[in-house]
Amino acid sequence: MCGITAAVGADDAVSTLLTGLQNLEYRGYDSAGVAVANGDGVEVVKREGQVDDLEALLSRRPLVGRVGLGHTRWSTHGAPTNANAHPHTDCYGDLAVVHNGIIENHATLRERLQSAGHTFTSETDTEVVPHLVEEYLDSGASVETAFRLAVDDLSGSYAVALVHEDEEAVYAAREGSPLVFGRGTEAYHLASDVPAFLEFTDDVVYLEDGDVIRVTPSSYEITDTEGSPVERPIESIDWNSEDVEKGAFDHYMRKEIDEQPTAIAQAVRGRTDGGAVALESLPDGAFADVDRVQFVACGTSYHAALYGAQLLRDRGVPARAFLASEYAMTAPPTEAGTVLVGVTQSGETADTLAALRRGASEGLRTLAVTNVVGSTAARECDAAVLIRAGPEIGVAATKTFSSQVATLTLLAERIRRDVRGDHSDSAPALLSALDRLPDDVESVLSETRAPSFARRYDDSDAYFFVGRGTAHPVALEGALKLKEISYEHAEGFPAGELKHGPLALVTPSTPVFAVCTGAHTEKLLGSIEEVSARGAPVVAVAPRSEKSVAEVADDVLWVPETHPELVGLLANVQLQLLSYHTATLLDRPVDKPRNLAKSVTVE
């Protein structure tokens, strides 16, 4: 979950690397460092803390060179210290390595290398790599051969890059962790994610597992593990550098909340056709033989998957969402006629990829719902549907959840049509509401009272979120957002489950946010009355037509009238704003919450 960046051929490699690290800081911010090969050796500067701390150190200890590596770390092996920061070097300091992922056999390799006389200076799994390269160089191998042999020794997931004092080049390889090559006009780039180098180029090559790349200031070559050349397509990314800048906003999260009207419009554009759904990557009848749908996802994407599964069940199609980390370990029955849908913003989430691979190994058809066209999930699945949200930098997902739900709404309607073989009478109303959804979100953003509610409840002991049907995953997501960025205790429940245990925790200092979509209102009212009887303040999140909810709640966060299946999406925007304002009142680091990273690429 670390961020790798490399620059080759830049007039000022360090400046380019720092830009990349700042753009990748959402992937890790425990420590950061750079290494530059400048013809006189390899120089490394690294330190615990954030990229700004590294930049300050480099202003006092400037490095000069055209080829270099950068890294921002999210700790797995070893605490966030100067010694554990990347890049790591060999015993002589002749080479430097950065790494993302987990090297599972690092303990065995470390023991072997220490027995051979190598001295280690960190607790990280990564440090075995430069010492392995050193070992092979000492036996007479070239830099390229030594790098290949070292990579062959590794077990686990990794993206790894190396510079050596003898060559003006970067070597890199990937296996299970993302790595992207950027072809610029003035320099070449490597990174864990595209935003690292969007200021410099939008022409990218997504490297695949087993790829090894050598990049010099004048050329690049991609080969397989045996050294045979392989061709990878160059793709143009439909993002620009402004997409990864905060602009006038204080935080990326707030910027991305406000970008949701545009993100949803992009998700829906061109996909509603005369009351029917047209998904460009899926031919007519693609789901005609489907009997059931399984979703796998993690975190916020799991909540979107729960939403999508509910939409399908409401259409008479058996569907269930699974936590990917559990599915990969103990997959449920995989009968014929099952399609497995992986919901993943990055397309690189390790647990989700493992679940998709498990399903594929059982013979299931797989579909990725993702934001990144060339991601591993998009490449490995039988088909992919893009959510088109654009880059999201804040660790706490906002616009990608909305785009996922909008896309899954389209997908649910498309699957229903293919399975049932007819057109739903209700589809035109739903699709019309989807087309209006960006304007409805804009109304929420302009009229919200979330800031005053955040102030009113900022000294609460805990926060509960409840809902039924599609409101249940929204309640889970509302609780997740609040705990992620404010560090306050928050829990989401199906509304009917309060009386089966959680009600014991309800006190007058426990506000309950009740999400009402217009479906199951009578049942929700019962739950509200249960917590009100215990003295807990209740805030309903509902459309204005739900007068009965407003009468029993202490207050209401209103959302515009829309199709009942989309009310939850609007309610979620209100809860995002509530979480954001609660976190800012508490002066939390909204974009970089402690212990969390944006793209979880380790299992």
Side-chain angles (χ1 to χ4, degrees):
M1 292 182 286
C2 307
I4 291 173
T5 187
V8 183
D11 289 337
D12 181 2
V14 171
S15 175
T16 303
L17 293 171
L18 283 172
T19 298
L21 291 178
Q22 287 161 347
N23 291 342
L24 286 179
E25 200 167 7
Y26 62 90
R27 294 182 65 94
Y29 39 84
D30 291 344
S31 57
V34 295
V36 172
N38 56 18
D40 295 321
V42 172
E43 293 188 75
V44 174
V45 174
K46 60 182 184 175
R47 63 158 299 160
E48 174 191 353
Q50 301 184 3
V51 175
D52 288 346
D53 300 319
L54 174 66
E55 186 174 21
L57 181 58
L58 284 165
S59 69
R60 301 190 298 272
R61 294 172 52 189
L63 302 182
V64 177
R66 299 176 65 214
V67 176
L69 305 173
H71 189 272
T72 181
R73 181 172 183 251
W74 187 90
S75 302
T76 53
H77 294 78
T81 63
N82 289 344
N84 289 333
H86 296 214
H88 290 289
T89 61
D90 64 326
C91 292
Y92 307 117
D94 294 342
L95 61 95
V97 166
V98 294
H99 160 245
N100 180 22
I102 291 178
I103 299 170
E104 295 174 355
N105 61 336
H106 72 97
T108 301
L109 293 171
R110 179 184 284 247
E111 183 178 352
R112 176 184 120 193
L113 290 160
Q114 286 176 325
S115 297
H118 292 262
T119 301
F120 284 74
T121 60
S122 80
E123 304 168 88
T124 69
D125 56 335
T126 303
E127 198 182 357
V128 300
V129 181
H131 289 286
L132 283 170
V133 176
E134 175 192 350
E135 187 85 349
Y136 288 118
L137 286 170
D138 286 347
S139 68
S142 66
V143 175
E144 178 171 354
T145 299
F147 178 71
R148 289 181 179 278
L149 291 170
V151 167
D152 285 344
D153 285 341
L154 307 180
S155 296
S157 65
Y158 54 80
V160 60
L162 170 146
V163 290
H164 189 277
E165 65 175 3
D166 287 346
E167 295 192 28
E168 198 172 38
V170 168
Y171 291 91
R174 69 156 282 177
E175 183 66 43
S177 289
L179 193 62
V180 187
F181 171 73
R183 188 185 68 170
T185 56
E186 298 180 359
Y188 293 132
H189 308 268
L190 282 164
S192 299
D193 206 352
V194 171
F197 50 68
L198 267 180
E199 282 94 329
F200 309 109
T201 183
D202 56 6
D203 288 339
V204 307
V205 176
Y206 290 95
L207 300 179
E208 299 187 15
D209 285 351
D211 285 353
V212 177
I213 185 170
R214 179 178 187 266
V215 187
T216 72
S218 59
S219 65
Y220 69 94
E221 182 183 30
I222 304 171
T223 56
D224 62 18
T225 53
E226 303 301 319
S228 301
V230 294
E231 294 293 329
R232 301 289 181 230
I234 297 173
E235 302 183 35
S236 293
I237 297 298
D238 188 23
W239 300 344
N240 57 57
S241 58
E242 288 76 18
D243 292 332
V244 295
E245 295 173 356
K246 279 190 294 192
F249 292 89
D250 291 332
H251 302 96
Y252 280 111
M253 182 182 179
R254 184 55 208 257
K255 173 177 181 276
E256 288 155 5
I257 289 172
D258 279 24
E259 287 175 343
Q260 287 177 112
T262 299
I264 293 168
Q266 291 171 171
V268 176
R269 185 183 62 235
R271 289 172 165 176
T272 58
D273 180 18
V277 173
L279 295 172
E280 63 283 354
S281 58
L282 300 171
D284 287 343
F287 301 102
D289 59 348
V290 168
D291 296 320
R292 67 195 61 80
V293 179
Q294 295 175 354
F295 292 91
V296 287
C298 303
T300 288
S301 294
Y302 173 66
H303 299 154
L306 285 170
Y307 203 124
Q310 182 66 53
L311 293 175
L312 279 167
R313 290 195 297 270
D314 289 344
R315 286 158 173 75
V317 179
R320 184 179 172 190
F322 297 88
L323 288 165
S325 55
E326 293 299 311
Y327 189 101
M329 299 299 103
T330 54
T334 51
E335 304 98 329
T338 302
V339 63
L340 181 62
V341 181
V343 185
T344 162
Q345 185 278 134
S346 67
E348 303 291 350
T349 307
D351 286 325
T352 305
L353 291 174
L356 287 166
R357 289 163 181 160
R358 173 70 183 271
S361 72
E362 299 286 342
L364 298 187
R365 218 168 94 207
T366 55
L367 172 68
V369 176
T370 184
N371 195 34
V372 182
V373 62
S375 62
T376 301
R379 292 196 313 270
E380 291 190 2
C381 285
D382 297 312
V385 176
L386 298 178
I387 67 170
R388 303 170 172 173
E392 185 175 67
I393 304 302
V395 168
T398 52
K399 68 177 181 177
T400 51
F401 176 82
S402 295
S403 295
Q404 285 171 338
V405 170
T407 303
L408 290 173
T409 302
L410 292 167
L411 182 64
E413 191 59 33
R414 172 60 190 281
I415 291 174
R416 190 217 66 81
R417 187 191 74 189
D418 282 1
V419 170
R420 299 279 294 274
D422 58 9
H423 292 275
S424 168
D425 293 338
S426 62
L430 173 63
L431 299 183
S432 178
L434 267 175
D435 288 336
R436 296 193 308 272
L437 194 58
D439 291 336
D440 290 338
V441 173
E442 197 68 64
S443 296
V444 173
L445 295 171
S446 62
E447 299 172 9
T448 184
R449 296 167 58 211
S452 64
F453 282 59
R455 290 190 295 271
R456 185 179 308 172
Y457 299 113
D458 70 344
D459 61 346
S460 299
D461 293 337
Y463 301 77
F464 283 0
F465 298 79
V466 298
R468 289 178 176 268
T470 54
H472 169 222
V474 172
L476 296 178
E477 177 62 11
L480 177 63
K481 281 293 150 290
L482 189 66
K483 70 179 73 172
E484 277 183 316
I485 64 170
S486 75
Y487 311 154
E488 295 296 293
H489 182 74
E491 296 292 341
F493 305 101
E497 286 301 300
L498 280 174
K499 58 184 175 291
H500 296 293
L503 202 58
L505 301 176
V506 170
T507 73
S509 296
T510 312
V512 177
F513 292 84
V515 180
C516 176
T517 65
H520 319 293
T521 300
E522 289 300 320
K523 295 288 188 182
L524 183 64
L525 288 173
S527 299
I528 291 174
E529 289 168 352
E530 288 170 1
V531 296
S532 294
R534 275 76 181 174
V538 178
V539 178
V541 190
R544 292 188 181 276
S545 59
E546 294 302 310
K547 304 297 185 185
S548 58
V549 173
E551 289 172 359
V552 299
D554 295 285
D555 216 328
V556 185
L557 281 167
W558 296 110
V559 301
E561 298 292 335
T562 188
H563 192 284
E565 291 186 331
L566 301 179
V567 171
L569 202 156
L570 297 175
N572 182 67
V573 177
Q574 288 280 27
L575 297 181
Q576 290 171 350
L577 291 163
L578 174 77
S579 299
Y580 174 79
H581 289 290
T582 300
T584 56
L585 282 170
L586 295 169
D587 198 28
R588 306 300 193 211
V590 172
D591 288 331
K592 294 178 285 188
R594 67 188 180 202
N595 303 332
L596 301 178
K598 181 68 175 174
S599 182
V600 185
T601 55
V602 295
E603 294 183 63

